[in-house]
Amino acid sequence: MSDTPYDEHFVSWFRAVTPYINAFRGKTFVIAFGGKAVESEFAKTLAYDVNLLVSLGIRLVLVHGARPQIEEELREKSLESIYHRGYRVTDAEALDCVLDAVGSVYLEIEAMLSQGLPNTPMANSRIRVIGGNFITGQPIGVLDGIDMQYAGKVRKVDAEGINAQLGLGNIVLLNCEGPSPTGEIFNLQMEEAAEAVAVAIKADKLVYLTDSQGVTDKAGELIDAMTSDEVAELLSGGEWLSPDIRRYLPCSVRATRTGVGRVHLISYEQDGALLRELFTHDGVGTVVTRESLENIREAKPDDIAALIALIEPMEEEGILVHRPRELLEREIEHFSIMLHDGIIVGCAALYRHSDEEAELACLAVSHEHREWGYGEQLMKRIERRARKLGIKRLCVLTTRTEHWFVERGFKLGTVDDLPAQKRDMYNYQRRSKVLFKTL
């Protein structure tokens, strides 16, 4: 019998991350980071965390930059760093510095991922790191009369080749160099290369390690989640944002709008930030998702007829409580709606019952669109609306979908746990299950 004391916190933590482990197995993540992250004090532990992700069955592509290392190479050769529109003007001498710096950083990362010392998280690991000419570059050309020379953009990504390596369990490690069909090499922006790779291989997540905890508001408070539309609006100003964030956000918008599931922005200066972002409910950075005003928005009085057509069949089945048209007209501002090709295919409502408690109600998606994830998007929309109002706890009453809500973080409660206003209105004939979620 072991004398080791029972660690209740360890056991509960391990159980809490299990749903994430199950959800992420077999998924594809692209993790992008600049040269500063490689120089940070947590570079070695980042390698440990990457090893852990691979051990959990996650398919990983790493894309690295080398900006500070290139700057150092230029200084040593007494060459000036020249930028235009955020791109480095790269002549032949600067390109030599780029190649030396990028090659050195690549080997450093490869060495960190090859560790296997006993008594470290890398013990017994068998990570294979694969590089190659998976990215083809092309010249930017002349911008505003300035010849950018060997500064380039991504022309093509060999998605088939990358996926083949991922299928073998290998990590694909890519840098910010892009050879061209003519045999020239172009200096790419790391963030754009990572975006192009993530889109090409249809990555589930793109993670940028940045010089900031994530996207912050003017007061310096972290914004935990944003839509691509909200990011685009922020970029019209946002002068307080860090240099990394300003470079990465446009890529985040484009990536989410062209098929990447989520883009995460986290700090490389916070030990374990990658794991905490991926395996905890609240995360530690900012996540950007596609949801746009073209697909989901708040309901308007003109939507009432279509809303009735959507929910009437579910009311007749007893799934939803009947809502007369007069009631919908009075409460239309509580509803958010999901549209597909301009047609309302889903809805959800938020009712506030106290300063810190509210109800998610009337969550409904048309039968033809229930496999598209619209229900979860609507739920998250309501959660964001609730957070902005300062709501701390969300309740939901359901007769048919208890497990669906439990799988998304809600916990079973009782009628007595409801806010007084809602408890007094509870319909004991329907015997709805009562669930809660802490925001």
Side-chain angles (χ1 to χ4, degrees), residues 208-394:
Y208 284 115
L209 303 182
T210 80
D211 58 1
S212 171
Q213 60 180 328
V215 183
T216 57
D217 59 21
K218 285 185 178 181
E221 294 295 321
L222 179 68
I223 303 173
D224 62 352
M226 302 184 75
T227 67
S228 54
D229 288 338
E230 290 170 339
V231 171
E233 183 178 351
L234 176 66
L235 285 171
S236 62
E239 62 281 350
W240 64 88
L241 299 173
S242 74
D244 278 2
I245 294 295
R246 289 199 66 84
R247 286 199 302 271
Y248 300 165
L249 279 181
C251 298
S252 303
V253 171
R254 292 191 297 266
T256 54
R257 287 177 174 173
T258 48
V260 176
R262 295 187 178 191
V263 179
H264 299 258
L265 300 105
I266 59 175
S267 173
Y268 57 72
E269 294 181 332
Q270 187 176 359
D271 189 21
L274 181 61
L275 299 183
R276 293 174 63 191
E277 175 70 9
L278 297 176
F279 293 98
T280 63
H281 175 69
D282 294 328
V284 293
T286 300
V287 60
V288 180
T289 55
R290 179 182 178 180
E291 178 197 290
S292 69
L293 293 177
E294 296 176 355
N295 295 321
I296 190 168
R297 61 171 170 80
E298 311 314 322
K300 300 179 293 186
D302 290 346
D303 300 319
I304 289 176
L307 202 56
I308 291 173
L310 170 70
I311 64 177
E312 260 187 350
M314 295 173 226
E315 291 176 349
E316 291 172 359
E317 289 182 49
I319 298 173
L320 297 178
V321 175
H322 176 62
R323 287 175 170 79
R325 185 186 184 98
E326 298 77 15
L327 182 63
L328 283 174
E329 289 176 347
R330 291 197 305 269
E331 299 181 347
I332 192 66
E333 73 274 8
H334 295 282
F335 283 78
S336 297
I337 57 173
M338 173 69 71
L339 296 98
H340 178 70
D341 287 342
I343 299 172
I344 296 178
V345 297
C347 68
L350 176 67
Y351 292 89
R352 189 169 189 166
H353 295 308
S354 69
D355 289 342
E356 296 188 347
E357 293 185 290
E359 178 187 4
L360 164 60
C362 200
L363 177 58
V365 177
S366 68
H367 180 76
E368 299 81 8
H369 299 87
R370 289 177 186 172
E371 302 301 318
W372 294 27
Y374 287 164
E376 187 161 2
Q377 290 184 48
L378 284 162
M379 180 195 73
K380 290 177 179 177
R381 177 75 166 215
I382 294 298
E383 289 179 358
R384 280 196 293 274
R385 287 180 60 186
R387 288 190 182 98
K388 288 182 179 179
L389 294 172
I391 300 299
K392 304 298 183 184
R393 192 173 75 152
L394 205 59

Side-chain angles (χ1 to χ4, degrees), residues 21-41:
I21 295 173
N22 292 331
F24 294 159
R25 187 179 296 111
K27 295 297 192 294
T28 302
F29 296 176
V30 175
I31 301 176
F33 49 92
K36 287 184 179 179
V38 180
E39 292 181 340
S40 80
E41 61 178 309

Side-chain angles (χ1 to χ4, degrees), residues 156-178:
K156 183 180 179 182
V157 174
D158 180 8
E160 183 179 352
I162 293 173
N163 281 319
Q165 293 299 327
L166 295 176
L168 295 172
N170 299 331
I171 289 180
V172 176
L173 176 59
L174 305 174
N175 56 40
C176 50
E177 296 172 359

